[in-house]
Amino acid sequence: MADLLGPLLTAFTLPFMARALVVLLALSLVAGIVGVLVNLRSLEFISDGLTHSVFPGIAIGFVWGGREGLFVGAMIAAVLAAVVLTLITRRAVSGDAAIAIVFTAMFSIGILVVSRQSNYAGQLEQLLFGRLLTVTPAEVTQTLVICAIALLLVALTLRQQVFRAFDRAAFAAAGYRPLLLDLVLNVAIALVVVAASSAVGNLLVLAVLIVPGAVARLITVRLWALFPLAAGFAALCAWVGLTLGFEASVTAGIDLPSGATVVLVLVAGYLFVLLGRLAVDRMRRPARPVTELQPEPRAESVTA
Amino acid sequence: MPAPLALRVSGASFAYAQRDALTGIDFDLHAGEAIALIGPNGSGKSTLLKGILGLIHRTEGTVEVLGQPSAPAGSVGYVPQTDELDPEFPVSLEQVVMMGRYRELGWLRLPGKKDRRAVAAALETVGLGRLSKVRFGELSGGQQQRGLLARAVAAGPRLLLLDEPFNGLDQANRDALVGTVERLKADGVAVLVSTHDLELAKAVCERVLLLNGSQVAFGPRESVLTLDNVQRTFHEVGVEMDQHTLVVPGHEGH
Ligand SMILES: Nc1ncnc2c1ncn2[C@@H]1O[C@H](COP(=O)(O)OP(=O)(O)O)[C@@H](O)[C@H]1O
Ligand SMILES: [Mg+2]
């Protein structure tokens, strides 16, 4: 047992590995919880829009203030984008084209800004794919603070977010303001994007936001089990992914980009759970016992 | 003394994007009274209910709920058409009904004994007590309708808006639903229920509002449900009327 666990633990005695792990575990917790809401609300497309629109903020912040400016720029862009997005999607009809246009334009602006830099390719690569293993202690603190704010926003509104996701009209009828709640969730998503961008990179953030929630949905239909499952799954994948990258580099001399490795582990985990789900469904279906609780058949006679 | 006014809609029109969906709505509803909203598919029944909730843009006129220009928080219960909900959503019946208690709970307090009792009582009222742990989407259409009604009941509303609650229900479910609405009315709740089932309108409603893109007629059941009025409302469908009943052939919900 110790032999198996050994490599999973020793790597993290190195300070840079420990920092990477702390960042990823904090992200896992928040992205898992926010990700379940993204899944329940089917906000995958909007999340994609947010990742694109945070990019120019990251780029401008980076050009203006270096690595320290990056978070500031990203935060400003994130909050702005979340507000704009909430207002666009409010007019539920065909917001998709508007979102796509606005946010690809934002992304292009980001690229243009970075392209003015001398070391263009290297900088761009860092911003797009992250630099998990070189995060500084100051960046760890920033990430933790941003994660904590996002967590607070969703934790305080979690029950209402679920109600709104299930039945928007009844939610509004109960006297709540859906627009306000949407703004809170969109800001939380944007904050996760900011926190994750410097770690796994802007292009890979989406996987961190979407995969854990989708996995939790495959495992359970029990509402309050979804959130810890998604966070736990993300944390496990982060740990395994980091270790894998470390081992590959130390024992085989292969240099794997750590952000991408973690994302691949997430996707592999998703496929694994999906196959398990399909197998379980297949085994269960033929011999489904008719229990006392079995509801009456869905098809009912129609009377007019 | 007449019962207090629960809802007054005056000269109201509602629109999606640029297009008018519903015009010329004028009626009032009192505590303990039920009004049936009758019209074919696409006539604007759902639009009117959502318009009263402030979810759809009102282009003219006024809506007054319990004397206020916008519905006072927690005083209005809404039971949507179940086909507007995601059947895969991971919530149990009990959790859905508990949503009716959120307003009372506020943002931070966890549900306590009082809330669990209210949920259990609401489920008993609609006759679904033994199914409380079942996932909502696995319930039959009629059970889902009753579950949503239980959620509204658990919130203790003074005005209840029901969108086609009788659609596709079997006799047992219809009886349970009618019984619950009768009980709520006796407690002074004002009920606005959309349906294209004229028989059921007769079973629970004192007054009727006929709708087809605009208001066709409004008033006491007997004087409004004339062959002429009903034909004007369902003009594409064709209506037969004998001594006792109105029959709308081929119009069986969706
Ligand atoms: N979200 C929407 N956007 C645009 N038009 C809509 C929307 N929902 C309904 N409508 C239109 O409004 C009219 C009334 O619809 P609705 O209120 O759903 O009727 P009913 O509930 O009586 O079947 C219809 O012409 C319908 O096509
Ligand atoms: Mg309708």
Side-chain angles (χ1 to χ4, degrees):
Chain A
M1 198 61 197
D3 279 359
L4 256 172
L5 276 178
L8 282 173
L9 295 175
T10 48
F12 300 105
T13 55
L14 297 167
F16 75 93
M17 284 296 283
R19 283 200 292 272
L21 186 65
V22 167
V23 164
L24 279 186
L25 289 183
L27 266 178
S28 298
L29 176 65
V30 185
I33 292 171
V34 173
V36 170
L37 292 176
V38 167
N39 181 290
L40 292 178
R41 290 275 312 278
S42 304
L43 291 180
E44 286 83 0
F45 183 68
I46 284 177
S47 306
D48 190 25
L50 277 173
T51 64
H52 280 83
S53 59
V54 166
F55 185 68
I58 294 175
I60 293 169
F62 181 73
V63 168
W64 164 69
R67 281 172 71 155
E68 273 77 57
L70 190 146
F71 269 107
V72 180
M75 285 287 270
I76 294 171
V79 173
L80 266 179
V83 172
V84 170
L85 202 88
T86 308
L87 294 177
I88 290 180
T89 49
R90 180 189 179 186
R91 332 200 104 237
V93 238
S94 82
D96 280 8
I99 295 170
I101 291 167
V102 170
F103 293 137
T104 40
M106 299 280 274
F107 198 75
S108 312
I109 293 173
I111 304 260
L112 279 182
V113 170
V114 183
S115 71
R116 310 295 302 152
Q117 291 297 99
S118 47
N119 177 17
Y120 168 52
Q123 313 274 27
L124 187 64
E125 189 185 322
Q126 275 201 358
L127 296 181
L128 289 180
F129 300 109
R131 40 190 175 71
L132 193 50
L133 299 184
T134 59
V135 287
T136 63
E139 284 170 334
V140 174
T141 313
Q142 283 171 324
T143 306
L144 290 181
V145 169
I146 294 173
C147 284
I149 297 171
L151 189 62
L152 207 63
L153 286 177
V154 284
L156 291 180
T157 59
L158 195 58
R159 207 160 50 193
Q160 283 75 13
Q161 295 283 4
V162 171
F163 187 0
R164 185 252 177 276
F166 177 63
D167 189 346
R168 181 183 191 275
F171 181 73
Y176 289 108
R177 311 259 305 270
L179 195 65
L180 192 71
L181 212 71
D182 291 0
L183 185 64
V184 169
L185 182 56
N186 286 339
V187 168
I189 296 173
L191 290 179
V192 173
V193 171
V194 172
S197 279
S198 70
V200 296
N202 192 260
L203 280 186
L204 299 176
V205 168
L206 202 58
V208 178
L209 257 176
I210 286 173
V211 176
V215 164
R217 284 295 300 272
L218 286 173
I219 296 175
T220 185
V221 293
R222 286 174 46 223
L223 178 62
W224 301 118
L226 289 170
F227 298 95
L229 267 174
F233 171 83
L236 185 68
C237 290
W239 190 13
V240 170
L242 272 179
T243 308
L244 221 76
F246 183 77
E247 287 298 313
S249 145
V250 169
T251 57
I254 306 167
D255 217 4
L256 298 177
S258 46
T261 310
V262 169
V263 168
L264 272 182
V265 172
L266 274 171
V267 174
Y270 173 79
L271 289 177
F272 180 75
V273 172
L274 180 65
L275 290 177
R277 173 85 258 169
L278 292 175
V280 168
D281 283 352
R282 173 163 281 219
M283 268 158 49
R284 268 191 195 160
R285 199 156 294 150
R288 200 168 175 200
V290 180
T291 64
E292 196 190 2
L293 278 185
Q294 195 76 11
E296 50 200 74
R298 280 192 73 100
E300 285 166 304
S301 60
V302 173
T303 30
Chain B
M1 196 186 89
L5 200 61
L7 173 68
R8 167 170 282 157
V9 180
S10 316
S13 297
F14 302 92
Y16 292 101
Q18 311 304 328
R19 207 168 57 84
D20 262 3
L22 190 59
T23 55
I25 305 300
D26 247 304
F27 71 98
D28 51 21
L29 169 65
H30 296 264
E33 183 194 23
I35 291 180
L37 213 55
I38 298 181
N41 280 332
S43 60
K45 301 184 293 296
S46 300
T47 302
L48 177 53
L49 295 178
K50 289 177 184 166
I52 291 167
L53 292 171
L55 297 177
I56 287 168
H57 181 61
R58 190 174 71 244
T59 49
E60 54 185 345
T62 57
V63 171
E64 256 178 71
V65 181
L66 301 162
Q68 320 269 98
S70 68
S75 57
V76 183
Y78 172 63
V79 178
Q81 280 177 255
T82 47
D83 55 16
E84 289 178 12
L85 302 177
D86 171 13
E88 298 298 322
F89 204 93
V91 275
S92 66
L93 173 60
E94 192 177 46
Q95 284 166 337
V96 169
V97 178
M98 186 61 87
M99 290 173 186
R101 303 294 301 167
Y102 285 2
R103 195 70 229 188
E104 177 114 354
L105 281 170
W107 293 93
L108 295 179
R109 205 148 40 84
L110 289 174
K113 232 192 214 126
K114 183 173 158 230
D115 305 291
R116 278 191 285 275
R117 261 203 306 268
V119 168
L123 280 170
E124 285 309 321
T125 303
V126 300
L128 288 181
R130 72 198 173 90
L131 295 178
S132 61
K133 304 288 181 198
V134 176
R135 193 169 65 78
F136 186 77
E138 280 175 14
L139 299 170
S140 73
Q143 292 166 337
Q144 289 186 12
Q145 282 291 357
R146 282 151 64 192
L148 295 177
L149 184 60
R151 178 181 65 186
V153 168
R158 293 169 61 198
L159 170 64
L160 188 58
L161 310 178
L162 304 166
D163 201 352
E164 304 209 24
F166 299 115
N167 250 12
L169 295 202
D170 59 16
Q171 198 57 48
N173 276 310
R174 279 149 76 101
D175 293 346
L177 205 54
V178 167
T180 308
V181 171
E182 289 295 358
R183 224 165 312 159
L184 288 168
K185 282 168 60 184
D187 287 344
V189 178
V191 180
L192 184 58
V193 50
S194 90
T195 177
H196 41 230
D197 185 329
L198 301 170
E199 279 314 299
L200 276 154
K202 287 184 177 177
V204 281
C205 299
E206 289 79 23
R207 290 194 288 173
V208 169
L209 195 161
L210 292 178
L211 209 61
N212 196 353
S214 61
Q215 185 167 321
V216 176
F218 170 64
R221 202 172 59 205
E222 299 78 19
S223 59
V224 166
L225 285 183
T226 61
L227 181 59
D228 182 50
N229 272 343
V230 175
Q231 269 174 345
R232 276 201 292 148
T233 307
F234 290 87
H235 47 73
E236 285 136 36
V237 189
V239 179
E240 296 157 27
M241 191 180 192
D242 64 27
Q243 232 90 355
H244 310 288
T245 53
L246 284 161
V247 186
V248 183
H251 198 82
E252 305 189 320
H254 40 92

